[in-house]
Amino acid sequence: MTHPARPQWLRRPDNVAPGIAYGADYNPEQWPREVWRDDVRLMREAGVNIVSLGIFSWARLQPAEHTWRFDWLDEVMGLLYDNGIAVDLATATASPPPWLTAKHPEILPVNERGETLWPGGRQHWRPTSPVFREHALALVEKMAGRYADHPALSAWHVSNELGCHNVYDYSDDAARAFRTWLQARYATVEALNHAWGTAFWSQEYSDWAQILPPRLATTHPNPTQQLDFKRFSSDALREHLRAERDILHRLTPDVPVTHNFMIMGGTKGMDYAAWAADIDFVSNDHYLEPGPQAYDELSFSANLTGNIAGGRPWFLMEHSTSAVNWQQINIAKKPGELARDSLTHVAHGADAVCFFQWRQSAAGAEKYHSAMVPHAGPDSDVFRSVTALGATLRELAPVAGATREQAPAAIVFHWDSWWAVEADSHPTDRLRYRQEALDWYTAFLNLGIRADVVPLGTALDGYSLVVAPMLHMVGEPVAKELQGYVEAGGHLVTTYFSGIVDEHDHVWLGGHPGALRDLLGVRVEEFAPLLDTETVTVDESLPATLWTERVQVTGPDVAVLSRYTTGEHAGHPAVTRRTVGEGSAAYVSTRLGPQGLTTVLDGLAAAAGVTSELPPGSRGGVELTVRRRGQERFGFLVNRTDQPLPVTDLPGEPLVGARGRNGELSLPPRGVGVVRLA
Ligand code: GAL
C-alpha cells in the first residue's frame, strides 16, 4: 500500500451516509439524457451510493486530438452528487479512441506471431508505448485538473483491469523495454546468460541488442526468458499504473487512487501481490466460473484479495448480478446467489460492493451481460434482488471498517511458481497451480476450518498450519523462511512439484524436492506423471491422478501417513510427515483432488492442533469468516449448499438473518447470516 499518510479509503461526500458502499460501473454515454434521470431515481431506490464513471469514455471526452468535451460528464457528476451518489472516477484511459490509433498505429499491441492487434475491441495499446503513455497521461491531467474539487469525487479508478487483453505485447517497443528491464535485473550480459542457462542450444548472447521477447520460435523458447518476460510484462503494466497514479497524487493529494485487479480464475498475468503497494486501496473484479467449485473459487479469490490488501477493507469493483457474456455458456444465477456472492466478498473484507454494470446495454459486445437494471427493466427479479441487497448492506453498516481476522491456517500463493509450473516442456502439461491451491481450499471449507490465502512473503508465524501447494520456485531465502517456520513449531504441508527450482528456474540438484528435501526428509529420483486415463489409489480408497513419485524416506522422524496401494509405486509412501521439534513438515506426492485432500487434511490439521470453530452440524455446509474491530467481532456464515441449513449453537446475536424457534439461525439455500460474535 502507498504511504500511510495518504487516504486509505473512499473520500465520502457530505451527503452520502457512512457504511458499505454499493453500486456499479455506470456508462451513461450509452444512453440518451432522459434515461439519466431515470437512472438516478432507480439508483436511490436500490440504495446505490457510489458508481464508477468514465471507464470507457475517452472517445466521448476527447473526440479529436485537440477537442475536449466535458460538458456531459459535468452534468452526470452533478446529477449524481445531487442524488447522494459518490463517484469513483475513472481516468478514462482504458480504451484509446479511433483518432489516436489511426494517427499512431504504432501504439497497437503485437502478438507473439508478429501480428498487429487492431482496434475494434478495447484495450488495444502497448503497455510500453511512449506515444500511448503521452496521450493517456495528458487525459489523466485533464481529468484530475477538472474534477479535483468536485464534491462527488470519492476515488480515482486508474484505467481498467490493466492487462485484461494486452498483458503480453511482443512489439519492438516491448523488446526495448524488456532489455532495459533485464539490464536492471542482471547488470551484465554474462549474468543474464547464466540465469537463462543459454549454454543450452547455442543461445549465448554477446550484446543486449540481441535479446528479444519470446516471440514465436521453432520450438520451446528459453524457459527463463519466458519467465522473465512474464515478470517484465506484469512490471510494465505496473509502471503504467504508477505513471497515472503519480499525476493523481500530485494534483489531488486528498483523493485515494485505486485500480481494479482481476483476482479470479485463470487471470494470471499480473502479480497483484506486488501491485498492491502502488495504490491507496485494493479493488478487485470477480466473475464466477461455473462448476462444482464455483462458490469455493469465489471465496478463495475474495480471501486472497483481502490478504493482498493487508487485511484492510477493499473494494469489490465488479461482479455480476447474473450471467456474463464471455464464457462459452453463460449461466444465470440461481435465487440467492446474487446476495451470497456479494456478501462473501464482504465477509472477506470488502467494504464496497459493485457490479458490472448499472444498466444492461442494448448494443455492443456486452449486451447479453447481466446488470443491476436488466433489459426487462426494474420490474424484474434481478432488480428486486438488487434492491434487497441494498437493504442488507445498510444493515451491515456496523461492519464497515472492520478488518479481516487472521485464520488459524494459511494457504500460500506465489505468482512466480504459478508462472513457472505452467510453463512448457515439463513432465506433464496438465499441472494447474491455482487448481491445486483451490483444491486445498475446498478441503479446508469441507472441514469447516478457516484458512487465509496469503501471498508468499506474508509473515507465517501467526499460523499454526501452512499449506504451500506446488510451491515450485523456491530460492534460498524462501527455503530458509520455511525451515525457520517449522523449527519455530509451525506445521508446514507441501506437495508434488514443490521446491524443484530456484528463482532462475534452475533445478536444485541431488534429488527432488531439492530446496525442501532435507526439511521434508524425503527424496525423489524421478517424476512419474500419469496419463489422463490412469488413476491409482492411495490408502486403498483415495483416487490419485496426474502425478506420482517413488518417495524415499531419507530424514529422521519421518512418518509415512499414506501409501500408494495400486500402480507402479504400490506399497511406497504417498504422504509423509516429518516431526521437527514442536513443528512438522508434511509432503503430499500426488494429486488427490478436493475429496482426497479433505481426508488427508483432516489428519494433518488435527496433528497441528487446528480444529473447526463451527458447531459439528455446520461443518462443510457453512463457511465461517470473521471480521473484527477492536473487541467487536462479526461472524459471516455462508451456506455453500443448495439445501436449507440450520446453524445451531449460534455463537452470538444475528445482525443479518433471524433466530428460529429453537434459537438456531436458518440459512436458506445459498443464504448468508451475519452474527455479532459474543
Ligand atoms: C470486466 C471489465 C468490464 C466488463 C466485465 C464483463 O473484465 O472490466 O468492463 O467487460 O468484465 O464481465
Side-chain angles (χ1 to χ4, degrees), residues 25 56 122 160-161 164 260 285 287 318 324-326 356 366 369:
D25 282 11
F56 295 107
R122 63 175 176 185
N160 188 61
E161 291 187 343
C164 182
N260 49 339
D285 295 352
Y287 293 96
E318 294 180 22
V324 299
N325 66 299
W326 44 263
F356 176 84
E366 293 177 333
H369 192 295

Side-chain angles (χ1 to χ4, degrees), residues 53 68 197 202 215 235 241 295 327 362 410 421 454 524 528 577 594:
L53 195 61
W68 296 89
S202 176
R215 292 175 176 158
D235 283 356
L241 168 62
Y295 173 77
Q327 291 166 351
V421 158
V454 299
V524 172
R577 182 170 180 270

Side-chain angles (χ1 to χ4, degrees), residues 179 189 193 203-213 225:
R179 283 177 211 127
V189 175
N193 276 321
Q203 292 176 353
E204 279 159 334
Y205 295 98
S206 55
D207 192 288
W208 292 103
Q210 299 155 0
I211 299 169
L212 293 168
Q225 176 192 16

Side-chain angles (χ1 to χ4, degrees), residues 24 28 53 301 347 363 388 410 418 437 611 635 649:
L53 195 61
S301 292
W418 189 3
T611 49
D649 303 321

